[in-house]
Amino acid sequence: MSLLRIFCPLSAVPASCEWVLFDDSAGVHPGDGALAQLPQGAAQVELVLAASQVLIARARLPATRGRRSAALLAYAAEEMLASDPDANQVSRLGQVDGDEVLAVMSRQRLQSWRAALGAVGVHVDAVYCETLMLPVQSGEWSLAWNGQEGYVRTGEFEGGATDCGDRQTPPLALQLLLEGARAHDAVPTSIALHAATPAAQPDVEAWQRNLGVGIRLAPQLDWRTAPAKPAVRIDQEREHWRPSAAALMRWRQIGWILLAALVLHSAALLVDRMRLASEQHQLRQQMEVRFRSAFPDAVAVADPVLQTRRQLAKARHAANQPDAGDFQVMLGRVVAALADVPTAQLHALSYEDGRMTLELSAPGDTLVRRVEVRLIQAGFDVQVPQAAPRAGHGTVTLTLRSP
């Protein structure tokens, strides 16, 4: 898998940079120049920050459940730097001796580099610090040195930049780190020294006398030659999942299948709706034709079912015969239906044009349901309110129609 590693000096304007490309054949191709000249198409892109631009420090944080929030980490860094917490991006690296190890960097400068790289089509997948790209062994520190200054890694999650030194005198920052380690009985057995060039190699014996620790010369190593997968990231953002081309092709095919199924289903629903509408129109036309053939004197047909009921009731009344919608007939059926429901107390009853309204006093939900079932069994169309009142409170109204 190809890897593009970009060295990002946060203090500089994001216009040009140094980089190295690890291709699929394990080839290493270094380069430098404008951002627009960066190699395109790398499967993984890493951003490497200078040791002097990332503060790695310990902080004692209050105990919390789950992951530490970004706000808590930012305020912890504020106590160490006395700066605006919003100005820093703070990431938790790990835990050492009960303390949290934090990496602090400039949020605005890092975002400006991300934006500049994104503008030329380079998406950053991970951010590292050159300090934590040095190899480290148990009981030993690692120091990268260019002849004047450098950076040191003192543990899995710890390290930092050093100040100036020379061939005879090691940097003061390294001496102070060793004094702090002696106070905690954690002095390393040796320091692996990675000199940038043969000319940058110091006087090992003079350094050993000043530091009181053995110096082991190690091969040259920097961010360009570090292993392809450094262990410790310093960004707390989630990795963005980027599917492979084959996965995208499979999902594209599935998407087309789902889209075709959705179109077919929508078309079937539309055809079915049109068919039902056509059948409803045909049934209405048949009812109108039958109504006009039975009652040719009707002027207009608005509701053939209701108008047919009214004409039949009128014909029955003309022949001195009762109709199912008459008051006496409906009342008799109601009385018969509620004869075995003695607890139903009738509060009021009204009748108008084939519609009877019953008001029951404080029936309760169970009794309302029982009365409804009895009236439906008696052949009535019953309209019941959505929620009947609780027993002992108010009344409930039932509207009856004879079919």
Side-chain angles (χ1 to χ4, degrees):
M1 182 178 69
S2 60
L3 168 66
L4 176 63
R5 183 176 291 165
I6 303 169
F7 186 76
C8 168
L10 291 183
S11 57
V13 177
S16 61
C17 64
E18 297 180 76
W19 51 268
V20 60
L21 176 66
F22 301 89
D23 60 24
D24 295 329
S25 303
V28 181
H29 309 279
D32 62 85
L35 299 186
Q37 299 174 352
L38 284 169
Q40 299 289 326
Q44 193 80 6
V45 178
E46 296 175 355
L47 206 61
V48 180
L49 305 185
S52 60
Q53 293 162 357
V54 179
L55 172 65
I56 301 176
R58 295 189 188 188
R60 179 74 65 171
L61 300 181
T64 60
R65 294 184 179 180
R67 188 176 180 179
R68 309 286 188 181
S69 67
L72 179 62
L73 298 180
Y75 281 106
E78 179 190 16
E79 292 185 359
M80 295 184 292
L81 300 176
S83 61
D84 183 3
D86 293 333
N88 301 316
Q89 176 169 320
V90 186
S91 302
R92 178 184 179 275
L93 303 181
Q95 194 173 65
V96 177
D97 298 331
D99 294 333
E100 304 290 343
V101 182
L102 307 180
V104 186
M105 66 214 82
S106 171
R107 181 189 303 275
Q108 181 179 0
R109 292 178 179 179
L110 181 59
Q111 289 177 348
S112 65
W113 271 91
R114 282 182 177 272
L117 291 170
V120 296
V122 177
H123 170 76
V124 178
D125 297 291
V127 180
Y128 297 92
C129 175
E130 62 177 347
T131 305
L132 301 180
M133 298 176 77
L134 287 173
V136 64
Q137 300 179 7
S138 178
E140 185 179 63
W141 292 1
S142 292
L143 173 67
W145 186 251
N146 65 5
Q148 295 181 341
E149 59 184 6
Y151 51 92
V152 60
R153 185 175 183 180
T154 60
E156 182 182 3
F157 305 115
E158 294 180 286
T162 68
D163 52 355
C164 297
D166 54 35
R167 179 174 173 79
Q168 299 295 325
T169 308
L172 178 61
L174 184 59
Q175 299 180 50
L176 294 176
L177 286 174
L178 286 171
E179 289 181 7
R182 290 188 180 94
H184 293 86
D185 195 21
V187 179
T189 56
S190 62
I191 298 177
L193 178 64
H194 302 271
T197 61
Q201 182 176 319
D203 185 336
V204 175
E205 293 184 359
W207 274 40
Q208 290 182 148
R209 287 194 300 270
N210 281 281
L211 297 175
V213 175
I215 301 294
R216 179 177 67 86
L217 296 178
Q220 177 185 351
L221 182 68
D222 61 9
W223 62 272
R224 300 174 186 84
T225 56
K229 291 185 178 180
V232 183
R233 291 177 51 169
I234 63 170
D235 57 330
Q236 61 183 0
E237 297 180 356
R238 296 180 180 178
E239 283 191 68
H240 297 281
W241 177 67
R242 295 194 295 175
S244 63
L248 284 176
M249 183 61 66
R250 288 196 299 271
W251 280 109
R252 186 178 293 112
Q253 294 173 353
I254 294 174
W256 281 114
I257 293 173
L258 292 176
L259 180 60
L262 179 60
V263 170
L264 290 175
H265 183 67
S266 301
L269 288 177
L270 180 60
V271 170
D272 189 57
R273 186 180 182 86
M274 295 175 61
R275 179 183 61 81
L276 292 176
S278 176
E279 291 180 358
Q280 183 182 21
H281 182 68
Q282 292 176 3
L283 288 174
R284 182 177 179 83
Q285 286 184 333
Q286 292 176 7
M287 289 189 292
E288 289 183 3
V289 169
R290 291 184 181 181
F291 177 78
R292 289 188 179 277
S293 63
F295 306 100
D297 296 335
V299 177
V301 182
D303 188 342
V305 176
L306 179 60
Q307 289 176 274
T308 300
R309 286 179 180 175
R310 289 177 176 176
Q311 291 293 343
L312 288 176
K314 184 177 178 181
R316 289 192 180 103
H317 293 159
N320 293 323
Q321 294 183 1
D323 183 72
D326 291 344
F327 174 74
Q328 296 86 348
V329 177
M330 293 183 67
L331 181 60
R333 292 165 60 191
V334 168
V335 172
L338 301 182
D340 59 343
V341 190
T343 56
Q345 299 179 4
L346 184 62
H347 175 72
L349 182 147
S350 61
Y351 172 85
E352 181 183 2
D353 196 18
R355 183 178 64 181
M356 180 175 289
T357 302
L358 307 179
E359 291 187 14
L360 304 178
S361 299
D365 295 339
T366 303
L367 184 57
V368 169
R369 182 58 184 166
R370 185 179 176 187
V371 170
E372 180 187 1
V373 171
R374 292 292 187 271
L375 293 174
I376 291 175
Q377 291 175 350
F380 290 107
D381 291 333
V382 184
Q383 295 180 1
V384 186
Q386 293 295 329
R390 293 175 297 174
H393 298 276
T395 62
V396 66
T397 302
L398 307 178
T399 303
L400 314 180
R401 283 186 179 275
S402 183

